[in-house]
Amino acid sequence: MIKWIRFFGFLAVISVFFLVSAPLFLLSDQRRRILSAHNTRFFILILTKLFGMRVSIQGKRPPKGPCLVASNHLSYLDVLALYAVQPTIFITSQEVRETPFLGWLCLAAGCFFVERRSKDKIRGEQEPITNLLAAGVPVALFPEGTSSNGASVLPFKSTFFEPAVQSRANVLPVCLNYLSIGGEPLSHLNRDRLCWYGDMDFLPHFLGFLGSRSMEIEVKLLTLLPAESGWDRKQLSANALSQILGQYRPLSESGTREALSRNDSPATFS
């Protein structure tokens, strides 16, 4: 029953979202994306309540100004968690754009699509991203280039960090940990109810997720990498990955979360 209550509630919220988003396509591309980020966050905060998502945010919010948010990637649900931090324009793949319904949602949300399957095309798409950052718009990306099953954080693709170098934007590494679903700690046995990866179809996965009573996501805002550092894209990528690996809690073979190597407990806020 709860699955269908949430499903029809989701359709109602998304219908209003599409209606409100439609006039924004009359604006210039950059202006549309900026307003879409704020508009999308409003509706996503409603959806997190509807879905029973509890998002705990730890660490310092980034200062105002150009900022590239770099996060590990587990699922389409990562976007909802990161929107809880601030309005953001997401960089995602053409494959997502080609996914029925999910692609339409991302387009209305102002996402910027890149062809991750071609390095040459990714390089050619960096200028618009650089311009967004230079305009002071927070931009978020998943440098792994794809989502994982939660067993580990995949290697980062440093190409994605070049717009931050060109626009002299700060880089904020963010670590996402999925903690529980339906009141049960996340394990290798139930992770597929949250993690979306490989060749999983979106709609069956989404409907399965809606049937869960609740879920918890931990969002850790890590040490800001300032533009003044003068680092190149490879240094930024390596530093961001190192920080995220230091806070990520992968699933062990026994199905439980491995303990953090250190006991960091920054203040939590909403």
Side-chain angles (χ1 to χ4, degrees):
M1 178 63 72
I2 190 171
K3 175 195 294 187
W4 297 111
I5 291 174
R6 286 177 174 168
F7 178 71
F8 288 112
F10 170 76
L11 290 182
V13 172
I14 291 304
S15 296
V16 177
F17 169 68
F18 279 135
L19 286 174
V20 174
S21 300
L24 300 180
F25 282 88
L26 300 174
L27 304 175
S28 66
D29 185 71
Q30 186 175 104
R31 184 63 176 165
R32 177 184 70 83
R33 292 183 194 277
I34 293 172
L35 292 178
S36 293
H38 290 271
N39 177 51
T40 302
R41 184 173 191 258
F42 173 80
F43 286 96
I44 279 184
L45 292 179
I46 295 174
L47 290 178
T48 56
K49 297 291 186 182
L50 175 66
F51 295 160
M53 292 177 62
R54 182 178 180 273
V55 181
S56 62
I57 305 172
Q58 301 180 0
K60 293 183 179 179
R61 294 181 188 270
K64 291 183 179 180
C67 184
L68 180 70
V69 176
S71 169
N72 58 305
H73 193 21
L74 299 157
S75 171
Y76 50 83
L77 299 169
D78 300 345
V79 174
L80 279 68
L82 292 175
Y83 261 116
V85 178
Q86 63 183 2
T88 305
I89 294 175
F90 280 84
I91 300 172
T92 188
S93 69
Q94 285 289 348
E95 292 163 288
V96 170
R97 185 174 189 172
E98 295 162 5
T99 302
F101 188 70
L102 183 58
W104 306 335
L105 279 176
C106 290
L107 184 64
C111 293
F112 189 91
F113 301 96
V114 298
E115 182 51 84
R116 68 176 187 177
R117 293 163 290 192
S118 168
K119 288 185 178 180
D120 291 337
K121 287 186 177 180
I122 289 177
R123 293 191 183 98
E125 293 161 338
Q126 288 179 353
E127 184 177 353
I129 300 170
T130 300
N131 293 338
L132 286 170
L133 285 168
V137 182
V139 174
L141 60 83
F142 301 110
E144 292 164 282
T146 188
S147 53
S148 73
N149 65 3
S152 64
V153 178
L154 304 176
F156 280 5
K157 301 180 186 301
S158 65
T159 305
F160 290 123
F161 289 85
E162 185 61 28
V165 176
Q166 296 299 322
S167 62
R168 293 191 58 78
N170 298 322
V171 173
L172 178 67
V174 174
C175 180
L176 300 179
N177 282 305
Y178 285 18
L179 304 181
S180 69
I181 183 166
E184 300 175 356
L186 199 69
S187 73
H188 71 294
L189 299 175
N190 61 10
R191 66 185 175 193
D192 283 5
R193 292 163 63 189
L194 292 182
C195 297
W196 184 63
Y197 58 95
D199 59 357
M200 288 182 174
D201 291 327
F202 170 70
L203 187 56
H205 186 276
F206 181 61
L207 291 175
F209 158 72
L210 292 181
S212 303
R213 297 196 314 273
S214 62
M215 65 170 292
E216 294 180 275
I217 300 180
E218 176 186 75
V219 180
K220 287 198 169 189
L221 312 182
L222 306 177
T223 302
L224 191 73
L225 307 178
E228 293 77 14
S229 66
W231 290 333
D232 61 25
R233 62 182 176 85
K234 291 186 177 182
Q235 290 171 314
L236 287 172
S237 175
N239 195 311
L241 176 58
S242 176
Q243 286 198 51
I244 291 172
L245 285 172
Q247 294 296 322
Y248 184 64
R249 289 180 276 180
L251 296 170
S252 69
E253 292 299 321
S254 62
T256 58
R257 287 287 187 179
E258 293 179 358
L260 285 174
S261 59
R262 57 187 181 188
N263 184 23
D264 292 338
S265 54
T268 302
F269 54 83
S270 57

